[in-house]
Amino acid sequence: MAREENKEPVGPAARMAATVAKRMRLRKGLTQEQLGGEMGFTGAAISAMERFLHPVSDDMLVQLERVLGGGTGIFEEMRELVRLEKLPEQFRGYAPIEQKAVALWLYANHVVHGLFQTEAYARALIAGGHPEPTAERVEELVVARMARKVLFDRKPVCEIELVLDESVLRRPIGSEEIMREQLAYLAECARRTNVNLQVLPLDAGLGGPYAGDRGTLEIVETPAHDHVTFLEIQGESLLITDRAKVSTHRQRYAKIRAQALDPRRSLGLIEELAGARR
């Protein structure tokens, strides 16, 4: 039974979806139990959604479109808005920018970048966060992270460059099987024509400066061909538009890429590590 207090905030997009769903349910003369039965949910779940006790889930929106949408696509259109609303607050402003990007230049030195994570790898990372999220919140965040992958196949194409520190490839997350699957997926991504994936080797700092010492870095080319930088650490984020600062970040990224293995050798290393974990 749904509890009276909200365990999670219900934002404007989720409230709008719930309001529209209730009006359409009543117009069709359905009870909450009847609608829930057609959708594969309990009447209590429908009640909790309509009373704003719990945000509407992605699966529920899919079923609402099937049962109530009538071919309008209204709930399908709401899915993206509700997904954005469920993202961590520090990422919400950047997510639309990422999805519209002409090109991305990415450097990750702790874990695999979110765009390139498998579902199991992402779930293991998110579930291990602090404060510890509920199981339901973990699934919401995993769904939202996986939804970002539409960028790989979007038209017009987005050119994506990723430099991964070698330590990321060697740091097991979740289990050996999860990590093996993640490495295999990285190799698959590296073979995409719009993806350039390189590995910054552990010995990159031998004999000279180490270009990756400042941490993760994300640079975006927008549809207007402007460039912005997104930085995220310890649950905080910063979106930088100052041209001089972004220019410095682009030059720093170029140095990181120059110290990385070339794409062919990088793919070979990833495949080698994936095979070693079998």
Side-chain angles (χ1 to χ4, degrees):
M1 180 178 293
R3 300 184 64 182
E4 291 297 322
E5 69 271 24
N6 289 349
K7 289 189 174 181
E8 297 177 48
V10 179
R15 285 174 175 264
M16 177 59 72
T19 299
V20 171
K22 181 177 181 180
R23 290 179 180 176
M24 295 178 76
R25 173 180 68 79
L26 293 173
R27 184 175 297 175
K28 283 199 169 190
L30 297 173
T31 66
Q32 292 174 339
E33 289 73 18
Q34 288 170 333
L35 176 60
E38 290 193 38
M39 292 173 52
F41 289 85
T42 64
I46 302 300
S47 175
M49 173 194 69
E50 291 184 354
R51 296 163 63 201
F52 308 144
L53 296 179
H54 196 282
V56 60
S57 69
D58 190 69
D59 185 46
M60 189 174 283
L61 285 168
V62 171
Q63 297 307 316
L64 283 169
E65 179 62 36
R66 179 179 65 82
V67 177
L68 295 180
T72 63
I74 184 169
F75 293 107
E76 184 63 32
E77 290 182 10
M78 289 183 181
R79 286 179 70 191
E80 182 176 356
L81 297 175
V82 173
R83 280 198 201 109
L84 287 175
E85 207 164 63
K86 290 181 179 180
L87 289 171
E89 185 175 354
Q90 72 274 10
F91 190 73
R92 290 175 195 165
Y94 173 68
I97 297 174
E98 178 187 75
Q99 288 301 301
K100 295 177 182 178
V102 172
L104 294 172
W105 295 276
L106 314 168
Y107 169 60
N109 67 341
H110 295 302
V111 296
V112 174
H113 187 275
L115 271 177
F116 289 79
Q117 291 175 12
T118 64
E119 184 174 327
Y121 184 98
R123 184 175 290 107
L125 277 179
I126 294 169
H130 181 80
E132 184 178 349
T134 65
E136 189 166 16
R137 180 59 174 158
V138 169
E139 291 310 308
E140 286 180 349
L141 292 174
V142 170
V143 168
R145 187 165 296 180
M146 294 303 102
R148 294 165 59 191
K149 293 180 180 294
V150 297
L151 188 61
F152 283 112
D153 299 305
R154 190 203 67 194
K155 301 296 182 184
V157 68
C158 177
E159 296 294 333
I160 305 173
E161 289 193 8
L162 170 65
V163 178
L164 277 177
D165 194 276
E166 185 180 342
S167 62
V168 173
L169 306 177
R170 297 184 180 277
R171 179 176 297 111
I173 299 293
S175 70
E176 288 294 329
E177 177 59 25
I178 287 174
M179 198 62 202
R180 185 201 65 76
E181 180 188 62
Q182 176 63 73
L183 290 168
Y185 180 67
L186 283 172
E188 178 185 327
C189 290
R191 298 186 187 97
R192 286 177 170 269
T193 57
N194 63 323
V195 171
N196 183 80
L197 199 160
Q198 294 178 248
V199 176
L200 186 65
L202 292 175
D203 61 0
L206 286 178
Y210 171 56
D213 64 329
R214 301 292 183 94
T216 60
L217 183 61
E218 303 190 24
I219 303 171
V220 182
E221 182 177 351
T222 72
H225 303 294
D226 293 320
H227 294 85
V228 299
T229 299
F230 179 71
L231 303 176
E232 186 176 16
I233 186 170
Q234 294 295 331
E236 302 295 333
S237 65
L238 184 62
L239 187 63
I240 301 170
T241 58
D242 180 88
R243 290 186 176 183
K245 292 181 179 180
V246 175
S247 176
T248 297
H249 295 147
R250 292 178 66 186
Q251 294 171 41
R252 189 172 295 153
Y253 179 84
K255 290 184 178 296
I256 293 172
R257 182 173 53 193
Q259 289 189 352
L261 302 176
D262 64 53
R264 182 178 177 183
R265 291 174 63 197
S266 296
L267 176 57
L269 176 58
I270 293 170
E271 291 177 329
E272 177 185 337
L273 292 174
R277 292 181 182 274
R278 288 174 184 163

